[in-house]
């Protein structure tokens, strides 16, 4: 038997992969993230054991997965997004490997592109952004982000778990050289019926996004100004697009 580390997708239960849903439906044990849709948990009808990871330390999750594997139960660890993108799936895989428990990683649709797409934002766009930089706003050791490198990085910046540090993030990017007029979008509860999108600039995004609920993804860069964003007022979209056009003209000069 095998432990399957399965990506549940970015929020909408319909965005799990066919392979992932098949495994959830046939598994004997299910360990799931708190942000996994209830509809997906309900699909595990054959599971004799189903538990949320809420309140569990990572070490306890690792031990539980090893224990389930050793008991010979076909087990699914259902994780939000993709297991290996800020999902700690690598840590669980290492724990299983060290214990000699067979496992398989089943990729999922990541919030990295799916959540911006649900808000009408392409993270890459020809002539606008050919590079995507991905960071977590919350580090395990509490260390600060490398704002100098992030401010200088071209293209699109996508920040996971950055809502609580949004004011710091915006201020530090500007302090390290990023234009205060750079477009920013914050997408809360992306791909779900509760999705909310706030569009502003680095200068005022912290104020404009105040009160948004987690989970939220922060997207920084000219792609935000393409006018596709849900809730974008035409005036703001036009202003941002004009600002981007000025930047491009300056670069070409």
């Amino acid at each position: 038997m095998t432990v399957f580390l399965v990506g549940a997708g970015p929020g909408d239960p319909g965005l799990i992969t066919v392979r992932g849903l098949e495994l959830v439906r046939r598994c004997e044990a299910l360990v799931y993230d708190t942000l996994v849709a209830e509809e997906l948990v309900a699909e595990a009808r054959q599971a004799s054991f189903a538990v949320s990871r809420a309140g569990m330390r990572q070490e306890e999750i690792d031990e539980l997965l090893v224990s389930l594997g050793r008991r010979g139960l076909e087990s699914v660890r259902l994780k939000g997004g993709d297991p290996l993108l800020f999902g700690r799936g690598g840590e669980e895989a290492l724990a299983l490997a060290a214990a000699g428990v067979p496992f398989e990683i089943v990729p999922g649709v990541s919030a990295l592109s799916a959540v911006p797409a649900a808000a009408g934002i392409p993270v890459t766009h020809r002539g606008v952004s050919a590079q995507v930089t991905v960071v977590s706003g919350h580090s395990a050791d509490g260390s600060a982000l490398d704002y100098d490198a992030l401010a200088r990085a071209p293209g699109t910046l996508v920040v996971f778990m950055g809502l609580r540090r949004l004011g710091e993030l915006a201020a530090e990017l500007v302090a390290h050289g990023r234009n205060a007029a750079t477009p920013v979008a914050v997408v809360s509860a992306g791909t779900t019926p509760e999705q909310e999108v706030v569009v502003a600039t680095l200068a005022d995004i912290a104020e404009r996004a105040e009160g948004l609920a987690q989970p939220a993804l922060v997207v920084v860069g000219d792609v935000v100004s393409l006018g596709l964003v849900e809730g974008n007022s035409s005036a703001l979209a036009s202003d941002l697009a004009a600002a981007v056009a000025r930047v491009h003209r300056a670069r070409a000069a």
Side-chain angles (χ1 to χ4, degrees):
M1 293 297 179
T2 301
V3 176
F4 297 91
L5 307 178
V6 178
D12 180 348
L15 292 177
I16 191 172
T17 64
V18 173
R19 171 71 168 154
L21 184 57
E22 172 192 318
L23 292 169
V24 170
R25 286 174 171 169
R26 81 180 197 207
C27 72
E28 298 171 282
L30 177 72
V31 182
Y32 58 93
D33 280 354
T34 53
L35 292 177
V36 167
E38 294 179 1
E39 294 91 332
L40 290 180
V41 177
E43 292 286 348
R45 300 183 184 91
Q46 296 188 44
S48 59
F49 176 86
V51 62
S52 167
R53 62 132 308 159
M56 298 176 65
R57 293 180 293 106
Q58 186 61 50
E59 293 78 7
E60 294 172 327
I61 298 170
D62 295 346
E63 291 173 4
L64 175 59
L65 294 178
V66 168
S67 176
L68 292 171
R70 284 176 170 168
R71 292 180 188 180
L73 296 176
E74 184 168 304
S75 306
V76 165
R77 171 71 172 100
L78 192 58
K79 306 174 72 66
D82 181 87
L84 300 186
L85 186 58
F86 298 129
R88 307 189 76 168
E91 297 175 44
E92 293 166 3
L94 287 173
L96 291 165
V101 175
F103 66 91
E104 179 182 326
I105 297 171
V106 181
V109 177
S110 174
L112 169 62
S113 58
V115 167
I121 304 172
V123 292
T124 64
H125 190 83
R126 187 170 60 172
V128 179
S129 174
Q131 176 175 317
V132 181
T133 301
V134 188
V135 297
S136 171
H138 175 73
S139 62
D141 60 3
S143 60
L145 295 173
D146 186 349
Y147 288 110
D148 184 56
L150 294 177
R152 289 186 289 104
T156 307
L157 172 63
V158 178
V159 186
F160 283 70
M161 298 171 282
L163 187 58
R164 290 180 180 173
R165 299 175 65 174
L166 185 56
E168 173 194 330
L169 172 72
E172 290 292 340
L173 287 174
V174 172
H176 286 81
R178 201 73 180 257
N179 192 323
T182 300
V184 185
V186 180
V187 187
S188 169
T191 77
T192 74
E194 293 74 36
Q195 175 173 300
E196 292 185 73
V197 183
V198 172
V199 178
T201 66
L202 284 175
D204 59 357
I205 187 62
E207 179 181 355
R208 294 281 299 279
E210 189 172 352
L212 280 183
Q214 298 194 63
L217 197 76
V218 180
V219 184
V220 181
D222 293 347
V223 290
V224 174
S225 70
L226 292 176
L228 306 175
V229 182
E230 175 187 334
N232 234 3
S233 70
S234 57
L236 178 58
S238 296
D239 289 346
L240 293 177
V244 172
R246 288 194 297 272
V247 170
H248 288 315
R249 285 197 297 270
R251 288 174 181 169

